[in-house]
Amino acid sequence: TYTSRTESTQRFVSRPPQVLSRGGPRLSTRRVPRPREAATKAGVEAAGGWLGGSLALLGDAGHMITDATALGLALLANWIAKRQPSPRHTFGLGRAEFIAAMINGLLMFVIVASIVVTAIERLHSPRPVSGGLVIAVAAVGLAAWGIIQWFY
C-alpha cells in the first residue's frame, strides 16, 4: 500500500518520545527547554560579556542565541510541515524544516565570523577583561544550567 509523505512523516513526528522501562515502552515525562529559557541565559551572558569585555562570554551568548533560534525555528517549521498538501502546495510544506535548518546554519556562520573578526582585532589591540565579573556571570550560567537539567 502507498502512504503519502505526509502520512508517513506524521507517524514519526506526532508520536511523543518513548523511554524503555522494565514494563515496556512508556511516554517520556521530560520537557524540552523552551526558546525563552535559552534566550534569557543568552541575554545574561551577553550583558556580562559586554560589560566585562569577555569574548568567551559573548561567544557563548551567541551560541545560546543560535540555540534559542534553532528551538523556535524548529517548532515553527514542525508546525508548518504538519499542514496538509493543498492545490498550491502539492508536496505539502515539508521543506519548511530544511529551510529552518538552513537559516539556523547561516545564523551560526554569521556569529562565528563576527567572533573570529573580533578575536583578530583583539590580538592586535588587547583589552583588559574584568575577571571577577566574568567568573560571577559564568557561575550564574552554570547554576542556571544545573537547575534546568535538574527540573527537565
Side-chain angles (χ1 to χ4, degrees):
T1 63
Y2 173 77
T3 54
S4 71
R5 181 193 175 282
T6 306
E7 290 171 4
S8 63
T9 305
Q10 264 319 89
R11 194 170 357 139
F12 297 106
V13 172
S14 63
R15 192 168 50 182
Q18 294 184 350
V19 177
L20 293 177
S21 67
R22 283 181 233 165
R26 63 177 174 81
L27 296 179
S28 173
T29 57
R30 287 183 63 116
R31 283 187 16 187
V32 177
R34 295 174 292 218
R36 177 182 53 195
E37 294 159 351
T40 302
K41 187 173 180 289
V44 170
E45 286 185 345
W50 186 266
L51 293 173
S54 171
L55 191 57
L57 280 178
L58 288 173
D60 195 41
H63 168 249
M64 293 302 296
I65 288 170
T66 58
D67 281 353
T69 304
L71 287 169
L73 283 174
L75 290 172
L76 178 65
N78 191 4
W79 177 73
I80 291 172
K82 284 183 178 180
R83 299 175 88 186
Q84 296 296 320
S86 67
R88 182 171 179 198
H89 303 286
T90 56
F91 179 71
L93 296 169
R95 291 184 187 101
E97 294 166 338
F98 173 76
I99 292 170
M102 289 296 295
I103 291 171
N104 184 46
L106 288 173
L107 178 63
M108 180 68 88
F109 180 76
V110 167
I111 289 175
V112 168
S114 67
I115 290 171
V116 167
V117 167
T118 306
I120 291 171
E121 289 174 357
R122 289 202 180 178
L123 283 174
H124 292 294
S125 59
R127 292 193 290 181
V129 176
S130 173
L133 179 63
V134 171
I135 290 173
V137 171
V140 169
L142 182 62
W145 178 80
I147 290 169
I148 288 171
Q149 292 303 310
W150 180 267
F151 288 108
Y152 293 108

